[in-house]
Amino acid sequence: AGIDIGDAEHWVAVPPGCAPQPVRRFGTFTADLDALADWLIDCGVTTVAMESTGVYWIPLFELLEARGMLVLLIDPRQAKRAPGRPKTDRLDCQWLQRLHAYGLLAGAFRPDDQVCVLRSYLRHRQMLITSAAHHIQHMQKALQQMNLKLTQVVSDITGATGMAILKAIIAGERDPVTLATLRNPHCQHDADEIAKALQGTWRAEHLFALRQAVELYAFYHQQITQCDQQIKAHLETFADQSDGQPLPPKARRHKKTNEPHFDARTPLYRLAGVDLTMIEGIEENTALVILSEIGTDMTRWPSVKHFCSWLGLCPQHKISGGKVLSRRVRPGAHRVTVALRLAARSLHHSQSALGAFFRRMKARLGTPKAITATAHKLARLVSSLLRHGSAYVQQGIEAYESQYRERKVKTMAKQAKALGYTLVPLAAQG
């Protein structure tokens, strides 16, 4: 069957001959969805194809799966209508059914239900972080309107120094010198500079806006803390895949503002059986995003090349008449891809093989392509660890440079031989 998904109605098409009326319209209430599933079962339907329209497909998808049907969630790009064909909901569901009957539609990836729950928590958490960030902008706007240049003397107004000063201002303190004494000892600017930046106009309407922005920011972080507790509790429900092996040691570091408020390494290690945070650039938050989006079953992709292509980290070759028209990567904002790109960008100063690779790609191709290339390498490492269950062995920068030098010498020797020359080391000549 093919189903055209909508907010107020679903149009369903079954093969001709299965029912007197092969196309029917159903509402979207729960009773309507039950009637839709009953009708499909009566028609002998075993597989269903539907487009991923917003979030309207989720209730019907879960219901049909619970009824034992194979449901394929279709990328709308696969089901583009034929040129010149009229565009109606009735015709769209028939077109989906026809393509599905010919085997021309491939279902989108969807992890196991337990991983889907974790994914929902993580996506909700990211929404809370985004909402909290909006109120940071409101704080900055209120300060700017009062000509308080706090953003010029502290790197982050939500840090220790910034929040201490903002809370004191809300409490009624107006003396710049007194406010400057609240600076953290690690702050780069001294108390005199901060006091000079805090001389402004204390207008009531802007102070009111500042107070509400700070309170809303604090409220959203309370919600994030509660969400972290829910995530931690759900992670404990996963089966232990570590076989009782101890967690590999790793150097502790200072956590950033938006990272989980609990130690996520241990439950993630139990979930996956490997420690993804041992890979340079991948921290707990990145590992949480990766595992919540793809799970641990890498057999869903035939090979690592399919996995990297699914992430959009491989070039899309467009060739016509033997001429390469384009090799750009597919545009998109997949959450795993974004996380891997951010992890790749953080390797700029890393004294590791991955850091050396990123710097070499940056010098040769530029920063954007270097980030893509390094994210592709990180994706291959993640796939290898999850597929084979082996521990990650860090490669030092010295070993990487030595391997690179050997490859370079072999390439130069081949080029010299092709031109009729022999490459001789300087030490051999002496």
Side-chain angles (χ1 to χ4, degrees), residues 137-417:
Q137 297 173 328
H138 299 161
M139 297 180 210
Q140 294 171 341
K141 179 181 179 181
L143 291 171
Q144 184 64 37
Q145 287 174 321
M146 291 185 290
N147 202 35
L148 300 178
K149 302 296 184 179
L150 183 61
T151 56
Q152 295 186 14
V153 292
V154 295
S155 58
D156 181 11
I157 64 171
T158 60
T161 300
M163 290 306 294
I165 292 175
L166 289 176
K167 290 178 180 178
I169 292 174
I170 293 172
E173 183 61 56
R174 300 292 180 266
D175 184 15
V177 178
T178 304
L179 292 173
T181 59
L182 299 174
R183 65 180 289 273
N184 188 277
H186 299 288
C187 187
Q188 295 182 354
H189 295 270
D190 57 24
D192 293 336
E193 282 186 276
I194 295 177
K196 185 177 179 181
L198 292 175
Q199 295 176 3
T201 57
W202 306 96
R203 293 180 63 92
E205 66 272 24
H206 302 323
L207 287 169
F208 176 76
L210 178 64
R211 179 185 299 108
Q212 291 215 323
V214 172
E215 291 174 353
L216 286 169
Y217 176 79
F219 172 76
Y220 273 108
H221 273 272
Q222 291 176 2
Q223 301 300 307
I224 292 172
T225 303
Q226 294 180 14
C227 187
D228 286 343
Q229 295 173 356
Q230 198 73 18
I231 292 171
K232 181 180 179 181
H234 184 68
L235 284 172
E236 294 174 355
T237 64
F238 285 87
D240 189 357
Q241 303 294 333
S242 62
D243 296 330
Q245 297 296 322
L247 182 66
K250 184 181 179 183
R252 299 180 63 86
R253 66 176 186 85
H254 178 70
K255 284 196 172 185
K256 298 181 180 179
T257 305
N258 293 326
E259 292 195 358
H261 294 82
F262 63 95
D263 180 21
R265 276 192 73 211
T266 302
L268 288 177
Y269 178 65
R270 291 178 64 255
L271 186 157
V274 292
D275 186 14
L276 296 183
T277 62
M278 295 300 293
I279 303 175
E280 295 89 344
I282 296 182
E283 300 298 337
E284 294 180 6
N285 202 21
T286 307
L288 263 175
V289 172
I290 293 173
L291 292 177
S292 67
E293 292 290 334
I294 66 174
T296 58
D297 183 13
M298 298 303 296
T299 59
R300 304 286 291 274
W301 296 274
S303 68
V304 64
K305 293 183 178 180
H306 290 81
F307 176 64
C308 295
S309 177
W310 177 74
L311 291 176
L313 293 173
C314 294
Q316 278 194 317
H317 294 280
K318 295 182 180 180
I319 303 175
S320 179
K323 180 180 179 181
V324 177
L325 303 179
S326 173
R327 283 199 176 100
R328 293 179 179 270
V329 296
R330 184 179 73 246
H334 196 287
R335 293 174 187 267
V336 177
T337 306
V338 172
L340 291 176
R341 287 181 181 275
L342 291 175
R345 192 178 185 87
S346 69
L347 293 171
H348 186 272
H349 299 290
S350 175
Q351 296 302 311
S352 62
L354 287 172
F357 174 80
F358 175 80
R359 290 187 289 272
R360 179 164 284 117
M361 292 295 104
K362 180 180 177 181
R364 198 178 82 188
L365 304 174
T367 303
K369 292 183 179 180
I371 291 175
T372 301
T374 310
H376 178 257
K377 186 175 282 289
L378 288 174
R380 296 181 71 91
L381 289 173
V382 169
S383 175
S384 178
L385 263 64
L386 293 177
R387 186 180 294 271
H388 303 294
S390 57
Y392 176 68
V393 179
Q394 294 184 352
Q395 184 184 21
I397 190 171
E398 295 83 5
Y400 173 79
E401 294 294 347
S402 176
Q403 290 181 0
Y404 176 77
R405 184 179 183 279
E406 290 178 4
R407 292 197 304 269
K408 195 74 173 176
V409 170
K410 287 183 180 179
T411 302
M412 293 175 66
K414 288 182 180 179
Q415 293 175 346
K417 185 177 180 180

Side-chain angles (χ1 to χ4, degrees), residues 80-88 91-92 95:
K80 288 184 177 179
R81 61 188 180 88
R85 182 192 181 102
K87 176 71 172 68
T88 65
L91 293 177
D92 282 349
W95 180 244

Side-chain angles (χ1 to χ4, degrees), residues 1-3 5 12-15 18 26 32-50 57-73 100 107 110:
I3 305 179
I5 301 294
V12 187
V14 296
C18 291
F26 291 88
D32 298 324
L33 300 186
D34 288 331
L36 188 157
D38 293 337
W39 182 64
L40 290 178
I41 293 174
D42 293 339
C43 293
V45 172
T46 57
T47 63
V48 177
M50 62 174 67
W57 59 270
I58 296 178
L60 181 57
F61 184 96
E62 295 174 347
L63 175 63
L64 294 180
E65 269 202 335
R67 293 291 191 95
M69 297 185 193
L70 175 63
V71 187
L72 301 184
L73 190 64
H100 184 37
R110 182 173 169 86

